[in-house]
Amino acid sequence: MSRVLLTGGSGFIAAHVLDVLLDRGHSVVTTVRSNEKGQKILDNHPKVSKDKLDFVIVEDIAKRGAFDDAVQSKPPFEIIIHTASPFHFNTTDTKKELLDPAVIGTTGILESTNKHASTVKRVVITSSFASIITPSEGTRPGYTYSEKDWNPITEEEAIQNPSNGYRASKTFAEKASWEFLEKEKPNFSISTMCPPLVLGPIVHYLQSLDNLNTSNQRIAAIMTGKAKDELPPTGTFLWTDVRDLALAHVKAAELPEAANKRFFVTAGYFSNEEIADIIRDNFPALKNELPAKGTKGGGYPEDGIYQYDNSRVKEILGIEFRSLKDSIVDAVKSLQAVGA
C-alpha cells in the first residue's frame, strides 16, 4: 500500500477520501489549516495508529511554497490527492478568495512536489463540472458533455460575480495543472476529477449546520421548511454521491490506466423536486416542514436538457454509482445527527 498526502483533509469530499484510503490500507498524512482541525481528525479515528494517519498544517494554500514542507515525509509519499480549494459564493473579492487559492494552490502543490518529492508518481486533483460546462449555452438540449469539453470562461468574466468566479477558479486551476504537466514533464502523472453537484452524508465531526458544504445546503433548506412554498431552481441538473466520488479519487491514484486523464464523475440527473419527494417518502416526521407534492418550482426545464457521458469513469475506474434515493436518505440522516 502507498503513502498518501491528502490536502484539505477537513473538507466534505476529503473526509470521505480519507476513509476510503484508510479502508484500502493506505498510510495518510492530511493537510489542515489549524492544529484543532487536525486533532479532530485524529480523535475520530482512535483505532488508527500515527504511522497510518497524521496531519500537517498548511495555513494558506494561496502562498507560493505553501506545500514545500508538507510534501516531504518519512517514509516518502508516492501519491498526492489534492482536494483543497474553496467552494462558496460568499465572497467580496473573487480573485483573492476564489481564483488565487484554487489556481496558486494547485500549481503550488505541483511545483513543490516536483522540487521536493521525487518519489511521488501519481497526483489526483479535485476539479469540477464547472470546468466542463458552458453556462452561456443554457440547458443545451441534445448536446452531450464529456471530458473533452472545457468551460470557455475568461478572466474578465471571472471577476463579474462570485458564481463566475467559482467556475473560473476550477477551470483555470485544472488548465494550469495540465499546462504544468506538458511544460515541466514531471516524474508524476496527473488525473483530475470533474464532479457536478456532490450530495450525500456529511462527516459529522467536521461539519455543523453553520458550515455545511454548499451542495448539501439545498437538502438542509428543503428539510427545514425553507422551500415549503416554492422549490428553488435546481441549477445544475447532474449530481454524484460523495462516497462514489471519494472512491473515484482513490482508484484514479491506484490504477495506472487512469494516469493523465480527466474523469467526469456523475451518477446522472436530479432535481430539487425529486429531492423533496425522496425526503417526503422516507421521513414522514418531516412532513410539516416539506413542500407538498406538486409545489411550484424545482423541476426540469420543459425544453429538455444536455446529456452526459460518464463511460470513462465506469470503464476505467469501475465506479458503480449509488441511487439518488440512497444518497438523499443518507444525507438527511447525517444532517439530523448535527441538529437539522
Side-chain angles (χ1 to χ4, degrees):
M1 294 294 102
S2 298
R3 179 90 163 151
V4 183
L5 178 67
L6 171 65
T7 73
S10 60
F12 172 52
I13 295 169
H16 287 276
V17 174
L18 174 60
D19 287 343
V20 174
L21 286 167
L22 293 173
D23 286 346
R24 293 169 78 88
H26 297 288
S27 165
V28 186
V29 176
T30 183
T31 73
V32 289
R33 284 182 294 176
S34 69
N35 189 74
E36 180 189 9
K37 286 186 174 180
Q39 200 56 51
K40 264 189 180 180
I41 293 171
L42 298 188
D43 291 346
N44 280 274
H45 294 85
K47 295 180 181 178
V48 182
S49 59
K50 200 169 177 66
D51 64 317
K52 278 288 189 180
L53 175 61
D54 206 351
F55 68 89
V56 61
I57 295 172
V58 178
E59 290 182 354
D60 184 1
I61 66 172
K63 282 186 178 175
R64 290 290 177 191
F67 292 102
D68 283 357
D69 292 334
V71 299
Q72 301 179 59
S73 168
K74 290 182 181 180
F77 294 116
E78 294 137 306
I79 291 169
I80 291 177
I81 299 181
H82 179 55
T83 74
S85 189
F87 177 17
H88 62 83
F89 302 131
N90 305 318
T91 178
T92 55
D93 186 335
T94 297
K95 186 175 188 304
K96 182 179 178 182
E97 296 176 39
L98 291 178
L99 297 180
D100 287 353
V103 177
I104 297 173
T106 299
T107 55
I109 197 164
L110 297 177
E111 289 166 359
S112 295
T113 303
N114 207 25
K115 288 178 186 174
H116 303 293
S118 60
T119 53
V120 170
K121 300 303 177 191
R122 311 299 297 276
V123 175
V124 179
I125 298 169
T126 310
S127 185
S128 171
F129 180 49
S131 71
I132 290 177
I133 192 172
T134 303
S136 61
E137 294 284 351
T139 53
R140 217 173 179 181
Y143 186 80
T144 300
Y145 279 112
S146 71
E147 290 88 353
K148 73 179 186 301
D149 293 291
W150 282 96
N151 185 338
I153 195 165
T154 65
E155 289 188 21
E156 292 75 22
E157 291 168 333
I159 59 174
Q160 288 175 0
N161 58 63
S163 183
N164 276 9
Y166 168 71
R167 294 188 188 109
S169 74
K170 303 306 288 189
T171 304
F172 297 167
E174 191 187 348
K175 281 187 172 180
S177 69
W178 294 118
E179 288 165 5
F180 182 93
L181 186 73
E182 187 176 344
K183 182 180 175 185
E184 300 295 333
K185 296 180 171 49
N187 290 329
F188 52 81
S189 65
I190 291 175
S191 304
T192 59
M193 304 290 112
C194 300
L197 201 79
V198 184
L199 301 172
I202 63 170
V203 174
H204 65 90
Y205 65 87
L206 290 172
Q207 292 197 285
S208 67
L209 291 180
D210 296 330
N211 68 346
L212 270 187
N213 63 294
T214 305
S215 298
N216 270 333
Q217 285 173 6
R218 70 176 64 208
I219 298 176
I222 291 170
M223 62 186 280
T224 57
K226 293 176 183 171
K228 194 168 184 179
D229 298 325
E230 182 175 352
L231 283 159
T234 302
T236 300
F237 294 92
L238 295 176
W239 75 287
T240 197
D241 185 275
V242 65
R243 294 161 293 186
D244 297 335
L245 178 60
L247 181 59
H249 278 77
V250 177
K251 293 190 86 170
E254 294 174 341
L255 297 171
E257 53 268 42
N260 300 329
K261 290 182 175 67
R262 299 177 90 194
F263 291 93
F264 183 14
V265 189
T266 181
Y269 298 114
F270 87 104
S271 70
N272 283 343
E273 183 179 20
E274 288 174 323
I275 289 178
D277 290 346
I278 290 169
I279 298 173
R280 191 185 308 105
D281 291 345
N282 291 276
F283 297 91
L286 296 177
K287 181 180 178 182
N288 291 338
E289 302 298 327
L290 298 174
K293 182 88 174 162
T295 294
K296 179 182 174 185
Y300 289 103
E302 292 181 3
D303 57 350
I305 192 170
Y306 44 72
Q307 296 172 298
Y308 62 91
D309 179 359
N310 63 359
S311 57
R312 178 180 285 182
V313 177
K314 292 179 177 179
E315 291 166 7
I316 296 179
L317 303 183
I319 300 299
E320 296 179 6
F321 290 104
R322 285 172 170 80
S323 69
L324 182 63
K325 176 185 173 182
D326 288 348
S327 188
I328 300 303
V329 167
D330 291 346
V332 171
K333 288 177 181 176
S334 73
L335 292 168
Q336 288 178 323
V338 295

